Structures are given as structure tokens and as C-alpha cells.
Amino acid sequence: MSSGNSNGHPAHLAHHFSDAAQQSESAKIGMWIFLLTEILLFAGLFVAYAVYRSANTEMFYNAHKHLDIHLGTLNTIVLITSSLTMALAIRSIQLNDRKKSIKLLAATFALAAVFLIVKYFEYSHKFDLGQLPGKFYTYTGIEGSNPHIFFSVYFMMTGLHGIHVIAGMIAISWVMRKTIQGKLSSEYYTPMELTGLYWHLVDMIWIFLFPLLYLIG
Amino acid sequence: MSGHSTQENRHIIPARTYIAVGVGLLLLTAVTVGVSFIHLEGWNAIAAVGIASVKALLVALIFMHLLYDKKIFLVIFSTAILFLGIFLALTMFDILSRGEIYPEYEKTIEKNAVMYKKAEPAPAAEPVEDSTSDVQ
Amino acid sequence: MNKIPEVNYLNASRGIRSWLFTLDHKRIGLLYLFSIMAAFALGGIFAILIRLELLGPGKDIMEARTYNQIFTLHGAVMIFLFIIPSIPAAMGNFILPQMIGAKDVAFPRLNLLSWWIYIFGAVFAVISMSTGSVDTGWTFYTPYSTTTSTSVVAMTLGVFILGFSSIFTGLNFIVTIHKMRAPGQTWFKLPLFVWGLYATAIIQVLATPVLGITVLLLILERVAGIGIFDPAMGGDPVLFQHFFWFYSHPAVYIMILPGMGIISELISAFSQKRIFGYKAIAFSSLAIAFISFLVWGHHMFVSGQSQLASAIFSFLTFLVGIPSGIKIFNWLATLYKGKIRFDTPMLYALSFLFLFTIGGLTGMFLGTLATDVHLHDTYFVVAHFHYVMVGGTVMAFFGGLHYWWPKFWGRMYNELWAKISIAFTFVGFNITFLSQFVLGAKGMPRRYYSYLDKFQPLHDLSSFGSWIMAIGFFIMAVYLIHAVFKGRPAGDNPWGALTFEWETTSPPPKENFIETPTLTHGPYDYDKIVPERTI
Ligand code: HEM
Ligand SMILES: [Cu+2]
């Protein structure tokens, strides 16, 4: 609805805001509240994890050995690096260095893709072995009670997280496009900032998933 | 409208800081992987979650600018963590204290699911079979 | 003689598209209003069917299974499609920006999106109804909900989608209240309705995601057999109840807090008196919002939850009584020595005070661990929550509807018919549900389509009351719709109230105010100014 410069408003300023600061701060509060809802969405899975781990302690320990710790660590490194490139991309746009910003966004996007590819190999390996959630579980090599529950929890947590990675990639490509079109600059980069916040949250959730699933000591 | 008053409260953090945090996060990852190979009984879980929390805090404060931005964002983030904590704590409290007051209620529960029964020498079959019968 | 302003938001643009894709919060509010009223009518039909079946023991008009489906639909429609969005999304949308002197909410597109999502979610509910609708009760308890052959997935998918609608409304309101207030309007000059909406919005964004993950897990349990709620697979069905009530107890405050906000406005405006204990009321809303997250286990006293946890949840439940009591006493103190006018909105407010107090107090009985073992899953619980939800929220909702109807349309309804209508509603309501307290205390369990012969007189009384109530609502529908077309023009400030929305025209122009208003007085400064009533 921002038809533009009729009364000195910049193009990105919507009519019902009085100035750009009000608008960008509103957007950021909105984004943070959205992140809050995301955290509480995952909260349910963390609770489920805690409940079933406490009920099947031994099995969780045995089952986690069937996750590939190398791939898990690799993916952690990948996501952390992508968070760093995202943060630097925002820094570049703050300095009005559009080219560098685009490169860093591209790097972030690529790292996200690497993450998903690694996940794909992990998943397909588990599919082959029959280490599947719930009633599809057919593997027989894990001691302890109810190993299928471990894989229910594993697939739900990493699956929901994976969906968020995909959503993040869509958002990143969207701001990349905007930057290439020259719509973002040090004057106005709210979309990139919001995407960054979202991406860091995705990273943050993985930071917890990794030790909880792969590193049950 | 030009120059100022566009993006409010702009605080540009030096690239060095970002990179230092990134390296710190990678180091902490190495630490947490290392610790998981040492046997510390219950402490393993605490160490894992503790290190993860430090990492998450670094991401939130520096990468997500909570340290520099308006305090309202920090409040929102803390609220989310607080309510996640409430959810987790009160639910786990129930789970862990079941049978505490009337221990006679804490009968041994057949822990393993029906679907694993097949392999074992037949205990009295229960009529719950249908939903899981397609599973071996 | 009052005149309707020539240009206003109703005639600013024409055509069905200008409504369905509007970004104007007032029109979106009305879209919501029409939708929730349709849901209310549908839920009401189900209610009447329930009460018809219960006229006699045994089968009267439907099979047991049909009965189960009908009461589930009644609950699900009333809760997810009517009462949760009722006050915030319909009335809050219309009034909130005006109350704070803003042109619109912070994110108008998100606002429109939330209505479309609501419609989309409602479609799933309808699909569920037409494909062998659910018979689990609105609570969808496992393990029954994972084994019944009825269409749980469509309904819970609908609930999942409706959750987003609720989250977006809450998110939008929080940002709006933070960032869009007119110059000079500080936090403590906000009308208390705004405080109520703010506390509600906080609950909406904190609790609703958990409902989302709950129904998602339930769906996965059904379609993929993940086993986490299935006792036969090593899962814990009681965990489902934890998940469900972590949302649904706070959700009952999503229902009541905005209602309490409306009551604060009505009591002050119709007593022409400064509200007593402004800050106490404002903060008690936040306190209720917080405490509501600590008490969910009181729905699970007999579920197999640990007794220690039950005792703690019981104790925490009593804490909710404190801020609720604070509000009641402040409203009573406001009435004291006020110049009370018994216009229809005020009658609704007084009904609220009376009925909500009964509902809240019986909540205390239920929160007491020992009594609840007896009363759980009886009609006593049914009566309790109808006293708070209908006696509380719905009374407040209709109070607000009558209060702001002239603001919505610029026209007044017929006061005499309005009074006749509320008389029917109030009397009918009490006949319907007081009898259910007695039934429950005597041991009549809820959710049964048959009962022992000795319960018949009270059941019949209750059904009789439901007809009286239905007449009341029917009369209301007629005169309110009539008013939209034929009512006499109401003028800008028909009640002589001081909050911002009465300073613009009725109906307001497209962007609410001709120019950005500045605050010259507080929302309750009746000791300084007494505005003319324009009617
Ligand atoms: C004054 C504070 C309140 C207290 C202490 C309270 C307490 C309780 C308790 C203990 C139960 C569980 C009874 C049982 O199942 O055995 C209950 C049920 C219920 N309450 Fe309240 N309540 C309060 C206010 C409210 C309000 C304001 C609402 C809604 C606007 C509400 C809606 C409900 C509903 C819908 C149920 C039944 C849920 C179901 O099982 O279907 N309550 N209440
Ligand atoms: Cu409750």
C-alpha cells in the first residue's frame, strides 16, 4: 500500500506509520514475537524428548549410538558457519556494500543446502536399516525398551527443524533477490534483518538438537 | 527523507567480533563432542545442555544483536525461554513423581511396547493387537 | 437530529472484493463478526439438539454415537470458531486502533491473512463434519482419539490452522499497542479494554504454538503411528493431556480477559465515574495471564497424574482467584455512588458481574483437589464453564456489541426489544445451567446421552431453559439486524463516554480520524468532563 512519495514518504513506508523508525521497529517486534511462537512450538518436542528419555534412559543411550556423530558434527559446523555468514551479510548491507552482502547471502544459502544434503544421507541410511519412527520401526539391533520411540522423537525433531531450514532458504533467496534488485540498502534493510533473525533461531535450535540426539554421553 | 532516521538504532558490530563469536561457537562444539566421550554419569547431560545454552546465548546476544538492541527484544526472547521452562518443569515434575505419595500405585509397568512381544515366548496375548499387527 | 456522515468506512469503496480483500481493520473486524456469529448460530443449533436428546433417558432423537458427535461439534465450534476469536478478532479489531488513536493495526495484511486463515480452518472443520464427524469431545483425548474411526484428522487439522489465525491476531495486537499509540497516550492512559487485549495477546502467542504441536503430534500418531501417545506402543496418553491443557487452560483466559476489558469500559461509562483501581485492574490482567500458565494440571486430577503434582497444581489454581477477585471488587467499587444508567450494555455488564462470580467461585470448588475427585467429569463442570464462558465471556461480548453497535453502523437499535431480549437470555441461562450444578453434584456424569430416571426433572428443566435462552438470542438477532438498516442515527457519542473511539464520527471515516488526534483527557476522567450524550 506504499504508493510512494506523495508527501515525502520513502517508497517502503506504509501509509499508516508515521515514520520509518516506527515501521522498522514494529517489524522487528513482530518478528521476535514470531520467534517466540517458534520456540514454543519446539517446546512441545523438547518436552516429549525429556519424558521419553527419562522413561527409557538405557534405550536412549543405546539408540543414540546409531546416529552418525561425524555427520552430526559436520552439520553443526555447517550451520554455525552459515549463521556467521548471515550476520556478516547484514553487516555488509549496513555498510551499503551490496555486492559483498549478496555473496555472503549466497554462502549462507549454499551452507543451508549442504546441511540438507547431509541430512538426506543420514535419513536414507536410517530408512534402509528400518530405523524408522513408531510402527514402521523394524530394526532389531538396539537393546532397551521401545527403541522405536527414540526414532519417533529423532525424526520429529530433525524433521520439523528441516522444514524450518527449507523455509529459511526460501526467505534467504527472497532477500537475495531484493538485494540484487537494489531494493535494500543501508537506508532500509529490514527484510534482511528479519530473515537473519529467523536463520539464527534455526541455528540455535540445532545447537540444542545436536547434543540432545547425538551426544548422549 | 534521507540519511538518518531510517533504520532505527543502527549499531554496526565490527566483523572481528562476529568472527570471534563464530570461532568460539566452533570451539564449544568441539568441547561438547569431546565431553560426550568421557563418562560422567548424569553430568553428561548437564554438560551437554549447559554448553548448548552458552552457545545459544552467544548467538542470541551477538548474532541477533540482543545485547545492543532495544531491551524489548530481550524481554520477548526471555519470555519464550521462561515459558518453555515452565512447560518442561511442571510436566517433568508429574512424570518423575508419579507414585510418590501412594507407592502401591507404582506397579511394574510392562514397559516394552506390544509390538516387540512377538519375539518373546507368548505371554497372555492382549486384545490390543489390531493396531500394530502389520508390524514385525 | 443526528446524521450519518456522508463518507465513512462503510461506503468508502463498494463491491464484494472491497470487503473480502480489505486492509481496513474495521471491515476485517466486521468480516470476523459475521463469521463468528455464523459459528455461534451453528454451535447453538448443536446445543439445542443436545438438550433435545436429553429430554428423556435413553434414546430420544439420536443414537449414542450421533450424540457424541453432536456434543463434540458443539464444543469445537463454540470454542475454536466462536469464543476464541470473538472479542479480540471481531471487536478488538474494530475498536483497538481507534481506542489508541491509530489509523490501523501495525500489520494490515497480516490482519486480513488471519481472517482468511480462519475461514480456511473453518472449512476443514466443515469437511470433518461431513465425513463422519469427530466423537471425542473438543478435548481430543488420547488414546480414544487415536483409535476412533471418526474424522479426527480433518478436525484437528482445522484446529491447527485456526491456531495460526489466533497467533497472527495476537502478534498484530501486541505490536500495535506497543508502537501505534497516538501522541500523549502513555501506557497508563490506555483504556482497560486495551490492557485486556494486550494480556490476551500475550497468551495467544505463548500458548497457541503448543496447541499447534499437540494436534500435529496427534495427527502423526494417527496417520504414522509414531506411538508417543499410545500406551500399547510405550507411549503416555496422559502426556497428551499435559500438552493439551498447557494450551487450553491459558486459552480460557484468552476467552475471558478481553471480556473483562469490556466490562471495565461499560461499568465506568454507565456509572459516569472514574474507574476504581485502574492500575490494579491493568496489572491483574497481566497477573492472570502469567498465572494461567501454572495451573493446567487441575484438569488432570484423576488422570493418573502424580498426586504430588496435583496438590501443587491445586494450590497454584487458587492463586488465580486473587487477580480475578481484585477485578470484581474494583468494578463494585466503581459502581458505588455512581450515576448508574441502565442502558442495555450496562445490563449485560451487571449480568456479567453476577454470573462470572458464580462461575469463578465454582471454579474454586473444582480446583480443590478433594472435591474435584467427586465433581470431575460431571455436570458440575459443565455448569462451571458455561457460567464463565456464557455468563462471563458471551455476556461481555454482547455488552460490547450493544455498546459499539452504534459505532459500527452509526445507528441505534431498539432499546425496548433489547431489554426484553436480555431478560429472556438471563433467565433462560440461569434455568439451563443452575440445574446442571445440582445434577452434577448429585453425580450425573457429562457426555452421556442417557441417564438414570431420577435425573429427568432437572434435565427437562435445563432443556426448557435452553429454549428461553434461544428466544432471547433470536430476538437480539432481529433487532440488531433491523438497526443496521432502519435504526435512527446515533450520533458520534451516544453514551457520553470518554475513550478515543467516541471522538470520531459514527461510523468512522476510512482511517478512523480526520487528523491524528491528540489526547486531551484520560479514558475515565468523568470527574473532569461529562460529555453530552448524542442520543
Ligand atoms: C476463577 C478461576 C477459575 C478456576 C479456579 C477454574 C477451575 C477449573 C477447574 C479445576 C476445572 C476442571 C474441572 C474438572 O474437569 O474436574 C475447570 C474446567 C473448565 N473451566 Fe474453569 N476455572 C476458572 C475460570 C474459568 C474461565 C474464566 C473459563 C473460561 C472462560 C473456564 C473454562 C473452563 C472450561 C471450558 C472447563 C472444562 C474443560 C473440559 O474439561 O472440557 N474456567 N475449571
Ligand atoms: Cu483450567
Side-chain angles (χ1 to χ4, degrees), chain C residues 49-326:
Chain C
L49 288 175
I50 294 174
R51 288 310 328 166
L52 282 177
E53 168 54 38
L54 292 173
L55 271 173
K59 181 185 164 197
D60 293 311
I61 58 166
M62 57 180 99
E63 298 293 335
R65 184 191 175 86
T66 318
Y67 178 80
N68 292 354
Q69 291 169 326
I70 296 285
F71 77 66
T72 303
L73 285 176
H74 166 69
V77 167
M78 283 300 199
I79 289 194
F80 296 114
L81 290 173
F82 169 66
I83 202 165
I84 298 249
S86 65
I87 298 179
M91 250 175 291
N93 237 329
F94 197 103
I95 295 298
L96 167 68
Q98 290 173 46
M99 274 194 161
I100 63 175
K103 286 181 187 161
D104 209 318
V105 293
F107 309 117
R109 276 163 216 269
L110 190 67
N111 202 12
L112 178 64
L113 181 68
S114 101
W115 180 73
W116 275 103
I117 292 177
Y118 169 90
I119 294 297
F120 190 55
V123 167
F124 274 88
V126 173
I127 291 176
S128 161
M129 286 177 212
S130 53
T131 55
S133 64
V134 202
D135 64 349
T136 60
W138 75 281
T139 46
F140 308 119
Y141 274 10
T142 54
Y144 185 60
S145 58
T146 52
T147 47
T148 170
S149 62
T150 53
S151 64
V152 174
V153 172
M155 183 56 98
T156 46
L157 215 54
V159 169
F160 181 76
I161 295 166
L162 288 168
F164 281 97
S165 156
S166 181
I167 287 175
F168 290 156
T169 304
L171 188 156
N172 217 335
F173 283 7
I174 295 181
V175 179
T176 306
I177 295 169
H178 270 274
K179 300 303 298 179
M180 309 296 285
R181 301 191 308 271
Q185 195 173 45
T186 54
W187 281 92
F188 292 117
K189 285 184 183 153
L190 287 174
L192 287 164
F193 181 47
V194 177
W195 275 99
L197 287 174
Y198 185 68
T200 308
I202 291 175
I203 305 181
Q204 281 175 303
V205 297
L206 278 170
T208 319
V210 176
L211 176 71
I213 194 75
T214 309
V215 296
L216 211 57
L217 292 178
L218 179 58
I219 292 170
L220 283 177
E221 180 82 56
R222 263 188 89 93
V223 302
I226 53 171
I228 72 165
F229 296 137
D230 183 354
M233 296 186 72
D236 181 358
V238 177
L239 185 65
F240 177 85
Q241 297 188 22
H242 277 297
F243 273 61
F244 184 81
W245 290 113
F246 182 86
Y247 165 75
S248 289
H249 183 79
V252 307
Y253 290 95
I254 296 179
M255 306 173 199
I256 198 72
L257 278 170
M260 291 170 155
I262 291 182
I263 296 305
S264 300
E265 301 302 328
L266 299 183
I267 299 263
S268 173
F270 291 97
S271 309
Q272 294 282 303
K273 215 178 132 214
R274 176 180 290 282
I275 190 98
F276 188 88
Y278 173 93
K279 283 194 183 173
I281 296 182
F283 284 126
S284 63
S285 295
L286 296 181
I288 288 179
F290 178 70
I291 299 171
S292 73
F293 281 92
L294 305 177
V295 304
W296 78 81
H298 65 213
H299 296 273
M300 301 168 58
F301 287 158
V302 299
S303 68
Q305 173 177 246
S306 101
Q307 286 87 357
L308 207 55
S310 290
I312 289 171
F313 276 124
S314 177
F315 170 77
L316 290 169
T317 298
F318 285 98
L319 297 183
V320 183
I322 300 171
S324 311
I326 288 177

Side-chain angles (χ1 to χ4, degrees), chain A residues 132-137 147-153 156, chain B residues 113 115-116 131-132 134-135, chain C residues 146-147 153 216-235:
Chain A
L132 288 167
K135 68 177 183 193
F136 299 107
Y137 180 80
H148 64 286
I149 293 242
F150 179 84
F151 291 97
S152 294
V153 170
M156 282 182 319
Chain B
M115 61 193 254
Y116 299 102
S131 69
T132 51
D134 51 333
V135 184
Chain C
T146 52
T147 47
V153 172
L216 211 57
L217 292 178
L218 179 58
I219 292 170
L220 283 177
E221 180 82 56
R222 263 188 89 93
V223 302
I226 53 171
I228 72 165
F229 296 137
D230 183 354
M233 296 186 72

